[in-house]
Amino acid sequence: MLAPERQSRILKELQLHEAVRVTDIAATLNVSEMTIRRDIETLDQQGLVRKVHGGAMGLVRLSALEPGFSLNVDRELQAKTSIAREALALIRPGMALALTGGTTTYQLAVHLSAAMETLHNLTVVTNSLKVAELLYRHQGDSQCHVIVTGGERTPSEALVGPITLMALRTLNTDLCFMGAHGLDAQRGLTSPNLLEAETNAAFIESTSRLVVLADSTKFQVRALATIAAVSAVDTIITDDGTSVAMRELFASLVPNFTAAAPATPNALAPTTGKSL
């Protein structure tokens, strides 16, 4: 198991419990206690957990913490790749799409850039600098039009604020693909960034169909600001790591719910976020 996968597992446990013990995590993952201590040290340095004697504790203000793009781009990569592959199947030539900021929507952009030869005449509206640059570099002869909203840059490489809102209020899209920091049955889609929450709400207002891309770590997580209720969502695409209970709960709340099968190693798309 790779370090990002182990660290993601530690963060998952801290979503469920106030603290975790090194011995318990090491036994569960079948690795040495020293390996888990190094993982906790890394997460502590990144500001994601608090290292304590014998283990780690979650942060009290985790709901207001906004990890940067480079920190998240490789986390849960196989899950994000599976989700992106499933989401790509919803896109048809000639559509007007919206892609919000985030690393899961970025993986969709990676897959979309590889499919440009068959998906002609797309218009993509995005507030993600990473998505915009990737699609622009790969558009070739596909006649893909990339519209960047403008605005103030966030740690997740997204553009937010009044300028972004003004742009979105004049646009209409067929599909909006949106990632989320958290997806809670009661509080809906949430973000730790107030301006990003406001911006994503504007994306929802301007689209005919909202598709939420959320890996299994995002369920029943509440960040600081609510973007929209679950009732605003048409489709949720997640990975097969989502528990049966979460699948049943959210499948009962939205018209369409898909748990994407794992991508084979050959199907894993390259993640080029760090080179942009």
Side-chain angles (χ1 to χ4, degrees):
M1 180 178 289
L2 299 176
E5 295 176 289
R6 295 194 306 269
Q7 292 162 17
S8 176
R9 181 62 178 269
I10 293 170
L11 292 174
K12 280 185 182 180
E13 289 298 317
L14 286 172
Q15 291 173 6
L16 302 174
H17 309 287
E18 184 177 351
V20 295
R21 295 176 59 86
V22 168
T23 52
D24 294 339
I25 296 294
T28 299
L29 301 183
N30 195 28
V31 297
S32 70
E33 293 182 13
M34 182 59 68
T35 295
I36 297 302
R37 288 193 185 94
R38 286 197 294 265
D39 288 333
I40 290 175
E41 179 72 28
T42 299
L43 293 171
D44 181 83
Q45 292 174 355
Q46 294 171 347
L48 296 176
V49 306
R50 180 161 64 89
K51 183 176 68 173
V52 297
H53 180 69
M57 295 185 67
L59 299 179
V60 174
R61 295 189 62 208
L62 191 60
S63 64
L65 179 69
E66 182 181 9
F69 182 92
S70 61
L71 177 63
N72 276 341
V73 68
D74 289 328
R75 292 191 184 280
E76 302 293 332
L77 181 56
Q78 184 171 355
K80 292 173 182 177
T81 301
S82 300
I83 292 167
R85 189 187 67 241
E86 194 75 29
L88 184 68
L90 299 178
I91 300 174
R92 299 289 182 268
M95 277 186 166
L97 311 174
L99 269 67
T100 68
T103 54
T104 309
T105 48
Y106 177 77
Q107 285 304 318
L108 173 56
V110 171
H111 281 67
L112 181 57
S113 67
M116 286 292 191
E117 290 185 4
T118 56
L119 294 172
H120 292 279
N121 298 307
L122 293 177
T123 298
V124 180
V125 179
T126 185
N127 68 327
S128 168
L129 295 171
K130 296 292 188 180
V131 167
E133 185 172 352
L134 177 68
L135 293 180
Y136 182 79
R137 286 195 290 109
H138 290 85
Q139 62 185 343
D141 297 326
S142 66
Q143 298 183 35
C144 175
H145 304 286
V146 181
I147 299 173
V148 185
T149 61
E152 179 182 350
R153 186 175 180 175
T154 71
S156 59
E157 300 290 350
L159 300 173
V160 299
I163 294 174
T164 314
L165 295 178
M166 284 191 293
L168 290 173
R169 285 168 182 158
T170 65
L171 300 173
N172 300 289
T173 59
D174 300 306
L175 289 177
C176 175
F177 294 98
M178 181 174 293
H181 182 89
L183 180 56
D184 182 84
Q186 283 74 46
R187 302 302 296 171
L189 299 167
T190 61
S191 169
N193 186 308
L194 294 173
L195 290 177
E196 185 166 63
E198 184 181 35
T199 298
N200 283 358
F203 268 108
I204 295 171
E205 288 293 324
S206 66
T207 195
S208 297
R209 181 182 177 191
L210 174 61
V211 181
V212 173
L213 311 180
D215 67 65
S216 58
T217 67
K218 306 299 179 63
F219 287 87
Q220 297 303 78
V221 173
R222 295 184 181 185
L224 181 64
T226 293
I227 299 166
V230 176
S231 59
V233 180
D234 177 86
T235 301
I236 294 175
I237 302 177
T238 187
D239 61 275
D240 71 340
T242 305
S243 70
V244 173
M246 285 298 104
R247 295 188 199 189
E248 292 178 348
L249 173 60
F250 282 89
S252 71
L253 298 175
V254 300
N256 302 288
F257 183 95
T258 300
T264 61
N266 289 336
L268 288 174
T271 172
T272 57
K274 292 184 178 180
S275 66
L276 294 181

